[in-house]
Amino acid sequence: MDDKRNLIAAILLSVAILLGWNFVAEKFFPTPAKPDVTTTVAGTDANGAPAATPQGQPTGLPTPPAQVAPAARATVPVEAALAADNRVAIETPALSGSINLVGARIDDITLTRYRQTIEKNAPPVRLFAPANTRAAYFASVGWSAQGIEVPGPASVWTASGAKLTPTTPVTLSWANPTGQTFRIEYSIDANYLITAKQTIANTGGAPVTVSSYALIDRLGKPTDPHEQDSWTIHVGPTGYLGGKSVFDVDYKDLDKDGAVKYDSAAWLGFTDKYWLAAIIPAKGERVTASMSAPAPDNYQTLFARDFRQIAPGTQVTTTSRIFAGAKEVRTLSAYQDDQGITRLSNAIDWGWFEFFAVPIFKLLDWLFRQIGNFGVAIMVLTLIIRGAMFPIAQRQFHSMAQMRLVQPKMKALQERFKDDKPKMQQELMKLYKDEKINPLAGCLPIVIQIPIFYALYKVLMLTIEMRHQPFALWIRDLSAPDPLHFLNLFGLLPFTPPSLLALGPLALMLGITMFLQFRLNPQATDPVQQQVFKIMPWLFMFIMAPFAAGLLLYWITNNILSIAQQQWMYRKFPQLRTAVAK
């Protein structure tokens, strides 16, 4: 009867873990349901229909707003919008696109190094799109003024050249009827940083009071559930504001509160899992900043400078920078160090284990560059970690064998003091001390494994360097789950199993290797624990199935190395095997 009760308890506990984990994983450990598909980075509203077109004028400014933008135009396809306006082309090794001469907006950016899907001929990822499109997303710089006309979203600028490249800057100019000339000199580097020098020259007869600003305007939010803000991955407005990195403001906060203001800014913008659009003032410059929702489903980040008076015959130049590209760790770190952009590398939300995740990434990235295959790099990383933990594992095996040797004494104590739990615990502790056993030694490798696993999870989920990296055979993207599923006969049946039942070959290998590993360990004395350990490998098989294939590859490799290490230990110390077999 007791055995049946223990079996039922173990099964119920396992089912509760299995069902509960599905909810926990979706909330705290989101993983892509299929290889990443990126059409445009900005999204549509919940119904897939176009939402209100963003106006593109500054809101939430600490200074008076710029002139009112014209009425919203009808939504058109991106190709039609790009064909309709006068534009200056952008061409670099990393970007292609154009600047719209209407409004001087940078509203056309595609990332030429990254594809929307893992297919060979997939189009490049589009980051920015014009204001009159469904996925509008753009950057803009401009001025606010008192008593004079300043250029606005409908102003038509004159360009000094036809193409912006790393070697050919382009200057846009516009003049008002009262004698003020406005210029924006755009330059760009070989990666993702655009510099905008804003100059206002006052050739009129009276002083003018002017403030300059930079903004990013975005229509909609990502609609993919795995691109939503979560406990482990921040997606949405972010920046280094008010002296700290901001991860606690999301789109829902802006929808609710309208605007969040800051008295200083090193940079701010919008982050997606892999992409970033940010505006950056000059190093050490005093600005005020805000994140806001000026209209339904329309979001904006901006910084503005204080008003200053410009005397007749003089001019004032301010410098703003715009980052529009992929969150490559090396590139962000280089901008942070070389350009003095404070904590720009925090655009990647490493989380609590940043001190551990960053070294894991750097080692894994270095291994990948040396080996050329990311899956093999994960396996080598696992080997390195296991080597570093080898002394701990030795102590674990010795402790497990010692625990097994004293189990008859432990059972005797449990029987003797079964009605006096405090006394039983006291005697057990005395037994551990007399036999020089540390009952927690076997848990230490598991405890160490937790931050390693979480750090690797963050690396696989967040770093663009790991996106769309293949391994071998059917594994074409290690940052996505195993694409083969037994339930739909590896894709022959036209449906995708739910994540709870999305078992593939990698998950099965995980279950088998974990089962073999547990077989080599001494059995627990408690019947319930015995039943749980028998079920646990197959439970973990279901739990881990929806995770990224790279994580499963790491865990399978770790299990195989653990089995090999246990066998080696048993050959070197036969008394350990004797202790396990008893």
Side-chain angles (χ1 to χ4, degrees), residues 265-566:
W267 63 273
L268 72 160
F270 296 102
T271 179
D272 296 280
K273 187 161 69 172
Y274 295 124
W275 327 111
L276 173 69
I279 44 175
I280 307 154
K283 183 179 179 180
E285 187 177 24
R286 183 180 180 275
V287 297
T288 51
S290 70
M291 303 171 173
S292 63
D297 210 30
N298 178 203
Y299 306 95
Q300 191 179 93
T301 61
L302 74 152
F303 67 79
R305 304 172 178 91
D306 291 339
F307 276 101
R308 61 189 300 178
Q309 193 174 77
I310 304 174
T314 63
Q315 66 180 30
V316 170
T317 299
T318 56
T319 300
S320 303
R321 291 168 290 178
I322 299 163
F323 180 97
K327 295 193 296 186
E328 299 165 353
V329 176
R330 288 190 175 192
T331 302
L332 294 176
S333 297
Y335 285 144
Q336 178 175 297
D337 298 337
D338 301 340
Q339 301 284 338
I341 306 173
T342 306
R343 299 295 288 174
L344 183 63
S345 61
N346 269 21
I348 301 173
D349 181 12
W350 295 106
W352 298 339
F353 291 103
E354 178 180 1
F355 69 95
F356 201 71
V358 173
I360 287 285
F361 164 78
K362 289 183 177 180
L363 176 56
L364 187 57
D365 187 50
W366 181 83
L367 290 171
F368 170 58
R369 292 174 185 275
Q370 304 307 309
I371 297 169
N373 184 292
F374 186 56
V376 177
I378 290 176
M379 298 171 75
V380 174
L381 173 70
T382 312
L383 182 61
I384 292 172
I385 293 172
R386 290 297 307 185
M389 294 175 59
F390 185 77
I392 299 173
Q394 280 185 303
R395 288 195 292 270
Q396 177 197 18
F397 291 140
H398 277 287
S399 177
M400 289 164 55
Q402 288 176 309
M403 288 287 287
R404 184 60 178 164
L405 286 171
V406 301
Q407 278 181 3
K409 296 180 181 180
M410 293 170 60
K411 284 185 178 180
L413 289 175
Q414 290 169 349
E415 287 295 325
R416 183 179 175 186
F417 299 105
K418 62 181 178 181
D419 296 326
D420 189 351
K421 298 293 184 183
K423 182 65 175 177
M424 182 180 69
Q425 291 298 325
Q426 184 179 350
E427 291 296 324
L428 283 173
M429 295 306 296
K430 185 176 181 300
L431 176 64
Y432 294 149
K433 185 177 181 180
D434 292 341
E435 299 289 342
K436 297 181 180 180
I437 295 173
N438 180 4
L440 298 179
C443 300
L444 185 58
I446 298 174
V447 173
I448 295 176
Q449 230 18 24
I450 292 173
I452 294 173
F453 178 83
Y454 184 73
L456 190 59
Y457 165 82
K458 295 285 281 189
V459 168
L460 284 168
M461 290 297 100
L462 290 179
T463 55
I464 187 70
E465 290 82 355
M466 312 310 169
R467 178 180 181 264
H468 291 179
Q469 288 293 343
F471 173 44
L473 302 175
W474 73 94
I475 306 297
R476 300 174 62 193
D477 185 1
L478 283 162
S479 67
D482 189 342
L484 298 186
H485 303 132
F486 294 114
L487 202 60
N488 65 2
L489 300 180
F490 306 119
L492 294 177
L493 300 179
F495 76 96
T496 301
S499 60
L500 188 64
L501 301 174
L503 289 178
L506 286 179
L508 180 61
M509 284 188 277
L510 175 67
I512 292 172
T513 54
M514 187 173 285
F515 171 76
L516 294 175
Q517 184 184 2
F518 280 22
R519 283 284 300 271
L520 292 174
N521 293 337
Q523 275 197 349
T525 57
D526 182 69
V528 173
Q529 291 184 20
Q530 291 179 13
Q531 299 296 339
V532 169
F533 283 130
K534 287 179 181 178
I535 297 173
M536 189 174 293
W538 316 115
L539 186 68
F540 265 83
M541 180 178 69
F542 283 95
I543 287 175
M544 294 299 300
F547 275 69
L551 285 175
L552 272 68
L553 181 63
Y554 163 77
W555 203 308
I556 292 167
T557 307
N558 185 69
N559 288 346
I560 293 172
L561 292 174
S562 295
I563 293 169
Q565 188 176 6
Q566 285 174 296

Side-chain angles (χ1 to χ4, degrees), residues 64-188:
Q67 68 183 58
V68 178
R73 291 180 286 176
T75 301
V76 299
V78 172
E79 294 76 10
L82 296 178
D85 297 317
N86 296 323
R87 294 185 168 270
V88 172
I90 298 175
E91 189 175 301
T92 78
L95 302 177
S96 66
S98 60
I99 302 171
N100 192 346
L101 292 179
V102 179
R105 291 171 172 170
I106 303 173
D107 62 357
D108 172 28
I109 293 290
T110 56
L111 312 181
T112 54
R113 293 173 179 165
Y114 298 99
R115 300 290 166 179
Q116 295 178 11
T117 70
I118 60 176
E119 300 304 323
K120 184 177 180 179
N121 296 322
V125 169
R126 171 168 291 281
L127 183 67
F128 283 171
N132 56 332
T133 63
R134 193 163 68 178
Y137 195 6
F138 56 84
S140 178
V141 297
W143 293 263
S144 298
Q146 298 173 352
I148 63 169
E149 183 183 356
V150 295
S155 301
V156 180
W157 293 71
T158 301
S160 63
K163 182 181 292 187
L164 174 63
T165 72
T167 58
T168 57
V170 171
T171 299
L172 309 186
S173 58
W174 182 90
N176 65 15
T178 55
Q180 287 77 43
T181 300
F182 299 84
R183 295 192 301 273
I184 306 173
E185 182 184 344
Y186 282 117
S187 59
I188 192 169

